Amino acid sequence: MDPKTLQKAALSLPPDDRAALAEKLLSSLDEPSEADLERAWLSVAARRARELDRGDVQAIPEEEVRQKARSLLR
């Protein structure tokens, strides 16, 4: 749907629906892009790998993490 048609349809909505749509559209502008999220995760992964390599942190076995998570959720 082209933007002008979409705008016309949106403006024909009842006020409450237009307000909800406007809120959703505005909040979507604050969300990071997929590329931003990927860069952030890669940065975290690289930092964690360096910490492991230097011995700053100890790896925790997956099963231990799962058991702790399960106990916290109970």
Side-chain angles (χ1 to χ4, degrees):
M1 182 180 283
D2 72 277
K4 287 189 183 222
T5 304
L6 185 58
Q7 180 181 4
K8 185 176 180 179
L11 290 173
S12 70
L13 294 170
D16 288 346
D17 292 341
R18 284 197 322 264
L21 177 59
E23 183 179 346
K24 191 153 196 113
L25 289 170
L26 287 172
S27 70
S28 75
L29 296 175
D30 295 334
E31 295 177 5
S33 70
E34 193 69 30
D36 290 338
L37 291 173
E38 186 174 346
R39 278 192 295 278
W41 277 112
L42 289 174
S43 175
V44 169
R47 177 182 52 80
R48 290 180 176 179
R50 287 191 304 272
E51 290 171 347
L52 280 167
D53 290 344
R54 288 191 310 250
D56 295 342
V57 295
Q58 294 288 321
I60 301 171
E62 175 189 358
E63 187 53 38
E64 187 178 328
V65 172
R66 285 181 188 269
Q67 288 174 353
K68 185 169 183 172
R70 284 187 189 115
S71 71
L72 290 172
L73 292 173
R74 291 183 191 154

